[in-house]
Amino acid sequence: MTGRSLKGRVAVAGIGESRYYRHGQSPDPEFKLALQAILAACRDAGLAPTEIDGFASYGNERSDASRLAAALGIPQLRSATMQWGGGGGGCCAAVANAAAAIRAGMAECVVVFRSLAQGEYGRFGQSADLATVSGERAYLMPYGVLAPPQRFAMRVRRFMHDHGIRQEAMRAIALASYRHAQSNPRAVMHGKPLDEAGYDASRWIVEPFRLYDCCMENDGAAALILVDGQRARDFPHKPVYLLGAAAGSGYRAGADPHNAPGYAGANFGTLAPELYRMAGVSPQDVGVVQSYDNFTAGVAMALMEHGFFRPEEANEFLTPDNLSAPSGRLPLNTSGGNLAECYMQGFELVLEAVRQVRGTATAQADRADVALVTGGPMVTPTSNLLLGSEAAL
């Protein structure tokens, strides 16, 4: 452990969430959902809300830190950070930013959170009327490439072509996610199982994405509370430590229009080595993964770039049994993920990683001392993190 590492320096004190809803069905506004999740995390940690002195989020979060502090009666707000980039690329970076604030002495107790109420603010999966467009969209929207599935389908098709990835590999990711959701009463798709025939019969959204290759759209909020690692044993649950985190992207990852050198990739090529180096672990040490699943193929990209299999092994590795808890080779998205638990722009994945390390997940993996979370694939900047038990330090 070097002096500049985050390994073991910060711990998770508590986690919490609101109820998860289908998009547009929350009876509460986004700000209230955020408060519900934060208060649930405080109860989980046994902390008073007034002990919080920092907030961190991402994805253009609308629940303002100063307003949250006022609503919670916080006497002093010392840190408020927002990770650049839309979508879920920052779900892990927000945790890293909060951890860095604690490590630097700029805060003592930081809430990391995400809140969404699409009924209040509009759906992510629909294109709004715009008078002008700029950047990447200026090269896409005039030609009818409007929504995220259309944008990412081109990159995924190239990925599948380059590496011989079959549709069955993408199907396996969806089936594993839905399988895990059936044991998770929080999941929006709890009680709605998916089998091979159901996947194969589902409509095309845009090839190669069928309906079940695409994440849901939901309302809700999720939060966790970070404290200094030396306080990890002061709380009711088994300690969970941050082992490492990374954020960013490689050379010209943001080149427009669709002109990045790593076009057929998830942008973890430079991040994964940094993450493993900080944590002092290898892919073989990781027992369970929560991988941002905006689309199933993005998960395949992310797993490959984190070293769990070589490109030519993807079709053999990505099977429902290999990806299922408790004893698959690599249990994946054990709460159901964005596909089947809730689309909270990936932050529900961070909470599930905490549950896995604690040993309290509804689909618990046999090996859970080291849990990986990956942020939104194919976006930039993106991020990842590793959480672990005391045995992993």
Side-chain angles (χ1 to χ4, degrees):
M1 184 187 304
T2 68
R4 297 177 64 187
S5 173
L6 289 172
K7 183 176 182 179
R9 305 293 191 180
V10 176
V12 177
I15 58 175
E17 60 224 319
S18 71
R19 179 182 168 188
Y20 294 144
Y21 303 89
R22 287 183 175 273
H23 66 84
Q25 294 186 6
S26 170
D28 297 315
E30 196 168 270
F31 185 74
K32 186 173 180 179
L33 292 171
L35 290 172
Q36 290 171 2
I38 293 166
L39 291 172
C42 289
R43 290 192 296 271
D44 186 62
L47 284 169
T50 51
E51 296 181 66
I52 297 166
D53 62 357
F55 294 96
S57 193
Y58 63 98
N60 305 319
E61 170 65 44
R62 289 176 287 247
S63 295
D64 179 79
S66 293
R67 188 181 174 205
L68 288 170
L72 294 167
I74 293 170
Q76 182 182 3
L77 178 63
R78 299 177 60 207
S79 177
T81 59
M82 180 70 67
Q83 177 68 10
W84 277 3
C91 64
C92 298
V95 178
N97 292 339
I102 293 171
R103 183 76 182 107
M106 298 178 67
E108 299 292 333
C109 182
V110 180
V111 168
V112 192
F113 74 102
R114 187 72 175 101
S115 61
L116 291 171
Q118 297 191 59
E120 185 179 4
Y121 290 107
R123 290 177 60 183
F124 286 119
Q126 290 183 331
S127 179
D129 291 335
L130 298 171
T132 61
V133 291
S134 60
E136 180 190 29
R137 289 186 295 182
Y139 296 97
L140 302 178
M141 297 186 77
Y143 305 99
V145 181
L146 306 176
Q150 296 169 309
R151 291 171 52 207
F152 291 119
M154 293 186 288
R155 299 181 65 161
V156 166
R157 189 56 100 185
R158 173 69 177 271
F159 168 73
M160 295 175 72
H161 170 79
D162 286 354
H163 303 300
I165 308 298
R166 298 193 297 265
Q167 196 78 31
E168 294 94 311
M170 296 162 65
R171 181 178 66 192
I173 293 166
L175 293 180
S177 296
Y178 271 77
R179 180 182 293 180
H180 291 140
Q182 303 319 302
S183 62
N184 175 11
R186 299 182 310 275
V188 174
M189 290 300 175
H190 178 70
K192 299 178 180 179
L194 178 67
D195 58 16
E196 291 186 2
Y199 174 93
D200 292 342
S202 65
R203 68 183 185 273
W204 291 109
I205 301 302
V206 53
E207 293 186 35
F209 300 144
R210 291 189 178 274
L211 174 66
Y212 294 108
D213 290 306
C214 304
C215 68
M216 298 186 290
E217 296 177 85
N218 299 106
D219 297 345
L224 88 162
I225 299 174
L226 294 180
V227 297
D228 188 274
Q230 293 183 346
R231 298 179 60 193
R233 291 182 168 274
D234 296 343
F235 303 96
H237 298 282
K238 175 182 175 181
V240 177
Y241 298 91
L242 181 63
L243 302 181
S249 55
Y251 176 68
R252 287 184 58 80
D256 292 329
H258 279 234
N259 200 30
Y263 182 72
N267 287 334
F268 291 105
T270 56
L271 273 66
E274 290 190 6
L275 177 70
Y276 289 136
R277 184 165 52 249
M278 180 183 287
V281 303
S282 70
Q284 290 71 35
D285 298 309
V286 176
V288 62
V289 174
Q290 315 300 328
S291 185
Y292 193 103
D293 45 344
N294 48 358
F295 306 102
T296 51
V299 177
M301 291 176 175
L303 295 180
M304 187 176 75
E305 292 177 12
H306 281 84
F308 294 108
F309 52 83
R310 295 189 296 274
E312 63 271 18
E313 298 171 331
N315 294 311
E316 177 185 357
F317 189 98
L318 296 172
T319 67
D321 287 345
N322 279 347
L323 302 178
S324 294
S327 55
R329 290 176 64 181
L330 190 68
L332 173 76
N333 293 359
T334 48
S335 64
N338 289 333
L339 294 179
E341 182 187 26
C342 175
Y343 177 71
M344 204 41 52
Q345 286 206 318
F347 208 67
E348 82 287 350
L349 299 171
V350 182
L351 271 62
E352 177 64 8
V354 173
R355 292 189 184 97
Q356 283 289 343
V357 177
R358 285 179 174 179
T360 61
T362 55
Q364 184 64 41
D366 287 343
R367 297 175 57 234
D369 279 328
V370 178
L372 170 69
V373 186
T374 69
M378 299 180 282
V379 303
T380 179
T382 190
S383 57
N384 53 13
L385 64 82
L386 283 161
L387 299 175
S389 67
E390 195 165 18
L393 294 179

